[in-house]
Amino acid sequence: SQQGEEDPQALSIQEGENATMNCSYKTSINNLQWYRQNSGRGLVHLILIRSNEREKHSGRLRVTLDTSKKSSSLLITASRAADTASYFCATGGGSNYKLTFGKGTLLTVNP
Amino acid sequence: DGGITQSPKYLFRKEGQNVTLSCEQNLNHDAMYWYRQDPGQGLRLIYYSQIVNDFQKGDIAEGYSVSREKKESFPLTVTSAQKNPTAFYLCASSTGPSGYGYTFGSGTRLTVV
C-alpha cells in the first residue's frame, strides 16, 4: 500500500515563481524524504526530514513537516525550467528497510 | 564515480519467457531494493535485501525472484508467472535502513511483445 499522497497531482507555473507541493501520510513515521524524477530516469534524493524536525532547507528547497497533521510540504523557490520533473515524497519507519513512495506531483515550469 | 548501474536500459520479453535485470553498485551500500513503476504511479517495492545472502519480499513480489550473492549485485528475474510485467523497473541502494536516502539507478524499461 502507498503511504504518501502528493497534492496536487500536477502543477504548472512560470519561471521565477515558487512551487509548493504537499504530501500527506497515514501512519507514524521516523522520517520523510523528497525525491525528484526527470522523465524516464531514476529518482534523485533531494532532502530528508526526521520526525523531530519541523523545517529544513537545502539551497532553493524548503521542506516542512507537521507530524500532528501527518503532512509535509516541499517549496521550490525561484523555479527554473530545469526544475520540470515529478516530485515524490517517501516515508520510512526508521529501523525497517521499507521506504514507501507516493504517486508524485508533476511540476512543469514554463520559460 | 560511485553509483548504481542498471542494464539493459530497454528490454523486450516474449510471452512465457523469464528475463533478468541487472543492478550493480559500487557505493559499498549494504541494502539494495527493486521497485516497479507504472505510468502515472508511484513506486511499489518488489524485493529488498539488507545484507548479502538475505532478501525479503516487498509489496508485489509475486512473479519475481532475486538473489544477493555479492554485496555489489542484486539481479531481478521477471518470471513467466508475472502476468503484467510491462513497467519501468528501478533499483536502489542505501547505507542502512529507511532513515537514509536512497541512491537510484537509471532504470530498465521492460516491454512484453
Side-chain angles (χ1 to χ4, degrees), chain A residues 1-2 30-31 33 35 37 40-45 48 50 88 92-104, chain B residues 9 31 33 35 37 40-45 48 50 58-59 88 90 96-102 104-107 109:
Chain A
S1 61
Q2 289 179 315
N30 173 274
N31 68 86
Q33 305 178 31
Y35 288 80
Q37 183 182 35
R41 307 296 299 275
L43 278 70
V44 175
H45 181 255
L48 180 153
R50 302 198 186 280
F88 294 88
S95 60
N96 69 52
Y97 281 75
K98 294 176 68 172
L99 196 62
T100 305
F101 288 81
K103 295 183 178 181
Chain B
K9 190 171 177 64
Y33 314 82
Y35 284 88
Q37 186 177 31
Q41 301 295 311
L43 280 66
R44 292 185 289 170
L45 182 64
Y48 64 102
Q50 301 174 30
D59 300 317
F88 190 49
L90 287 159
S98 59
Y100 296 84
Y102 285 19
F104 279 84
S106 56
R109 190 166 299 280

Side-chain angles (χ1 to χ4, degrees), chain B residues 19-73:
Chain B
V19 291
T20 297
L21 284 59
S22 171
C23 178
E24 303 276 334
Q25 55 101 356
N26 61 3
L27 299 165
N28 200 33
H29 284 173
D30 286 317
M32 296 188 74
Y33 314 82
W34 275 105
Y35 284 88
R36 169 180 171 142
Q37 186 177 31
D38 293 283
Q41 301 295 311
L43 280 66
R44 292 185 289 170
L45 182 64
I46 304 172
Y47 270 98
Y48 64 102
S49 168
Q50 301 174 30
I51 199 166
V52 175
N53 292 323
D54 184 54
F55 50 83
Q56 284 79 41
K57 293 182 179 180
D59 300 317
I60 56 166
E62 185 175 349
Y64 300 97
S65 66
V66 293
S67 63
R68 186 88 188 274
E69 296 175 2
K70 298 187 300 180
K71 188 175 185 177
E72 303 80 18
S73 179

Side-chain angles (χ1 to χ4, degrees), chain A residues 1-102:
Chain A
S1 61
Q2 289 179 315
Q3 163 87 296
E5 289 289 338
E6 291 89 345
D7 170 61
Q9 288 186 320
L11 179 62
S12 181
I13 59 174
Q14 296 299 122
E15 224 171 8
E17 294 180 340
N18 294 343
T20 299
M21 288 158 272
N22 303 296
C23 171
S24 60
Y25 57 92
K26 295 175 183 173
T27 63
S28 60
I29 61 171
N30 173 274
N31 68 86
L32 186 143
Q33 305 178 31
W34 285 91
Y35 288 80
R36 165 198 169 121
Q37 183 182 35
N38 288 82
S39 181
R41 307 296 299 275
L43 278 70
V44 175
H45 181 255
L46 295 176
I47 196 165
L48 180 153
I49 186 165
R50 302 198 186 280
S51 58
N52 61 353
E53 298 175 306
R54 290 296 166 259
E55 188 170 311
K56 206 161 182 180
H57 296 255
S58 177
R60 294 185 295 113
L61 306 180
R62 173 179 168 249
V63 170
T64 62
L65 179 63
D66 187 335
T67 53
S68 66
K69 295 181 179 178
K70 292 187 168 58
S71 68
S72 173
S73 67
L74 171 67
L75 168 68
I76 304 174
T77 60
S79 63
R80 306 165 182 166
D83 293 328
T84 294
S86 290
Y87 292 82
F88 294 88
C89 69
T91 53
S95 60
N96 69 52
Y97 281 75
K98 294 176 68 172
L99 196 62
T100 305
F101 288 81

